[in-house]
Amino acid sequence: MGDDTGSRVGALPDHPFTLGVASGDPTADGVVLWTRLAPEPLLPDGGMPFRTFAVDWQVATDEAFTDVVRTGTVGAHPELAHSVHPEVTGLLPDRAYFYRFRVGPHLSTTGRTRTFPRPGTPVRSLRLATLSCQNLVAGRFAALRHLAGQDHDVVLHVGDYVYEARGPAEPVAGADRRHHPFRDATTLEDYRMRHAQYRLDADLQAAHAAAPFLCVPDDHDVVGRMAGPLGRNGRDDPALFRRRLAAAYRAYYEHLPLRRTALPRGPGMQLYRRFEYGDLARISLLDTRQHRSPQVDGPLFQPNGPEALDPARTMTGPAQEQWLLDGLASSTGRWNLVGQQVYLAALDLGAGEEPVFNTDKWDGYPAARARLTGFLAEARPRNPVFLAGDSHAAMVSDITHGCDPAGPVVATELLGSSVSSAKGNTATFEAALPKNPQVRYYNGRQRGYLSCTVTPEQLRGDLWFVDDVLDAGSPVRLGASWAVQDGVLGAQPA
Ligand code: FE
Ligand code: CA
């Protein structure tokens, strides 16, 4: 033993569990757990010595941990910001479990998670929520507090988990919501601190502690309008952008309950994946940012010209597209849920006769959407329902084949509103609604989330909205409910 100074080098600081706990990607026999040691989460190193610490985890059937069924020890390494992602196996299907971590004398808070039912076994119901777009500077997370009080089996987070942009010096949500560091995130340390700042939010911690999450990033988790290996519609230097992308994905992995298969390799990350929920649902998660063609040049809203119509343009990349279609074709689930980022609905935003589309959405990739909707029209997979985010609006749409709003309905799409992010162009969307009867419901004026209750008979989507996004204690109210009946294409008011 050295002297006092020497023995304290590399000692574990007090209060390492500042960022809460989380779980994700459940199977019928396990789940991945998450926490990160960060006594000073807003410092570049999280306030941790640059060495590995052994973290113990426990899984129990009860919240008091009198019936501990699995335990283990995992290394929290400085290379991954002292985050841990132990993958628990040997659990029973379709059960609730409680979990916690310990390092030295410090105990984490307790999280609740669930395993999925065994693939193919009869299941009576699934409660699934969808979240997106939680800009810290734009509001408080009353929607997440409300979600944490609901009994969901699983939560989909379809992106814009953090926002890379610096944001305002005086955020509407309050001085304590100013982004730290107060600059656009570009380096690994920037993205780590961004995630850490978001995870200090008590309501976000509560949402994670309440249910397992399935997470996929969208553009702002890296940079707005990211497309494939290019940033901001290709305006970034490609070589530099690869470094930024690698930094953003690494921080995303470090802060979310993702399996080892998602560990980033430089600027790449394996994110599209699927889950079986008994005989009731197959859940496919798409990655519509990493493998897409660049958006067409010019303004965000424009008519689709020859460049947009190029059949070589892709939203998913060819490998993921084939994986999606194969997965829909082979599914034995009664419901085929597809979680993804940007809306699939064809949405003509033109004020006049000429159709105008948002070039960042599937609308800017019409050939890719036609391949998907054509497959849905011909192969008729059972009960396809798309769940998206990104739009900062709640929206329920009939998905029609091709770009024709009057074409045959092939699927339904449900979007919950943003958790907190503001909507900039609500008036444009509202003015365009008469031209878009396939959009059955639209609300861009309120923040919130989507909660789905899925049974063999129907999928009901409840759209929850917060009264005041600037108030963490805001009431959260049910604003609308829409349902899809088993075997019937198209959504109806519930
Ligand atoms: Fe967003
Ligand atoms: Ca987005």
Side-chain angles (χ1 to χ4, degrees):
M1 296 291 287
D3 61 16
D4 186 57
T5 313
S7 68
R8 294 191 65 79
V9 169
L12 177 68
D14 285 342
H15 310 297
F17 293 111
T18 57
L19 302 180
V21 299
S23 70
D25 282 26
T27 61
D29 83 332
V31 68
V32 56
L33 307 179
W34 175 92
T35 194
R36 181 187 162 204
L37 309 180
E40 302 283 349
L42 299 183
L43 295 180
D45 64 2
M48 286 294 289
F50 198 81
R51 69 176 180 85
T52 296
F53 289 84
V55 178
D56 301 322
W57 54 265
Q58 288 183 313
V59 174
T61 58
D62 65 319
E63 201 164 0
F65 289 85
T66 55
D67 180 31
V68 173
V69 293
R70 284 288 180 274
T71 63
T73 302
V74 63
H77 303 289
E79 294 91 329
L80 292 175
H82 296 97
S83 64
V84 294
H85 301 73
E87 298 190 23
V88 183
T89 58
L91 302 179
L92 295 171
D94 201 14
R95 299 292 153 95
Y97 289 97
F98 297 87
Y99 61 93
R100 64 186 180 186
F101 298 89
R102 191 181 63 201
V103 58
H106 309 290
L107 201 59
S108 75
T109 51
T110 294
R112 180 182 179 280
T113 191
R114 280 196 69 88
T115 52
F116 279 1
R118 273 199 195 90
T121 55
V123 173
R124 284 299 309 165
S125 83
L126 159 65
R127 288 199 70 207
L128 171 151
T130 304
L131 299 174
S132 64
C133 297
Q134 51 194 28
N135 194 340
L136 192 85
V137 306
R140 307 275 164 178
F141 295 163
L144 299 179
R145 189 203 71 239
H146 182 268
L147 174 137
Q150 302 286 304
D151 188 15
H152 287 106
D153 298 307
V154 67
V155 177
L156 261 59
H157 200 298
V158 294
D160 291 0
Y161 189 96
V162 298
Y163 280 71
E164 88 292 355
R166 183 182 72 165
E170 293 177 20
V172 288
D176 62 314
R177 305 292 263 196
R178 181 193 293 190
H179 270 156
H180 173 87
F182 185 52
R183 59 175 178 259
D184 292 352
T186 57
T187 68
L188 177 58
E189 289 179 344
D190 292 343
Y191 284 107
R192 279 177 173 167
M193 288 186 277
R194 189 71 95 238
H195 275 274
Q197 186 183 14
Y198 280 54
R199 286 300 266 282
L200 283 168
D201 183 277
D203 295 320
L204 180 53
Q205 288 195 14
H208 276 293
F213 273 48
L214 311 178
C215 298
V216 280
D218 193 24
D219 55 339
H220 286 292
D221 297 295
V222 183
V223 66
R225 308 253 183 275
M226 169 189 163
L230 301 172
R232 298 183 299 168
N233 293 24
R235 288 200 295 275
D236 286 307
D237 178 301
L240 285 181
F241 185 67
R242 278 196 292 279
R243 298 184 73 85
R244 187 177 186 181
L245 183 54
Y249 275 175
R250 186 161 151 194
Y252 187 87
Y253 173 82
E254 288 170 351
H255 289 85
L256 288 164
L258 293 165
R259 289 187 182 268
R260 189 78 178 183
T261 48
L263 182 69
R265 297 174 188 180
M269 192 173 183
Q270 175 55 44
L271 289 162
Y272 64 84
R273 56 202 193 274
R274 69 172 68 98
F275 301 87
E276 310 294 338
Y277 200 85
D279 68 349
L280 190 60
R282 167 169 278 189
I283 306 169
S284 303
L285 292 188
L286 301 190
D287 173 359
T288 61
R289 287 287 169 192
Q290 195 179 180
H291 308 287
R292 68 155 81 181
S293 313
Q295 298 90 345
V296 296
D297 281 342
L300 181 62
F301 295 167
Q302 58 173 292
N304 275 339
E307 186 193 349
L309 294 165
D310 180 350
R313 286 167 52 71
T314 176
M315 188 56 131
T316 55
Q320 183 181 190
E321 183 173 307
Q322 197 58 52
W323 170 89
L324 173 63
L325 302 190
D326 289 348
L328 291 169
S330 67
S331 174
T332 55
R334 183 177 294 259
W335 296 88
N336 282 288
L337 310 180
V338 183
Q340 50 128 25
Q341 293 78 23
V342 296
Y343 63 78
L344 176 65
L347 193 45
D348 171 8
L349 296 167
E353 286 289 296
E354 186 179 33
V356 169
F357 298 106
N358 185 326
T359 58
D360 185 55
K361 317 310 173 201
W362 284 85
D363 271 333
Y365 301 77
R369 191 185 45 219
R371 288 193 294 273
L372 175 53
T373 56
F375 169 85
L376 294 171
E378 283 169 28
R380 302 291 300 271
R382 196 167 185 180
N383 298 324
V385 176
F386 290 77
L387 305 166
D390 173 69
S391 278
H392 306 181
M395 187 157 75
V396 178
S397 306
D398 290 337
I399 302 297
T400 54
H401 179 29
C403 289
D404 180 5
V409 176
V410 296
T412 294
E413 180 171 63
L414 302 166
L415 273 73
S417 190
S418 54
V419 168
S420 63
S421 306
K423 176 74 175 165
N425 43 21
T426 304
T428 303
F429 279 77
E430 288 177 348
L433 289 176
K435 292 175 74 179
N436 293 279
Q438 75 283 12
V439 177
R440 307 293 309 282
Y441 174 86
Y442 185 86
N443 181 350
R445 296 182 179 270
Q446 288 181 284
R447 315 279 65 89
Y449 75 100
L450 169 70
S451 174
C452 295
T453 303
V454 189
T455 66
E457 293 79 31
Q458 72 164 10
L459 179 149
R460 191 186 75 236
D462 294 327
L463 293 160
W464 290 90
F465 297 106
V466 303
D467 281 1
D468 179 2
V469 74
L470 301 184
D471 176 10
S474 169
V476 180
R477 300 176 203 278
L478 183 59
S481 295
W482 285 75
V484 182
Q485 305 301 326
D486 174 44
V488 182
L489 288 163
Q492 301 297 334

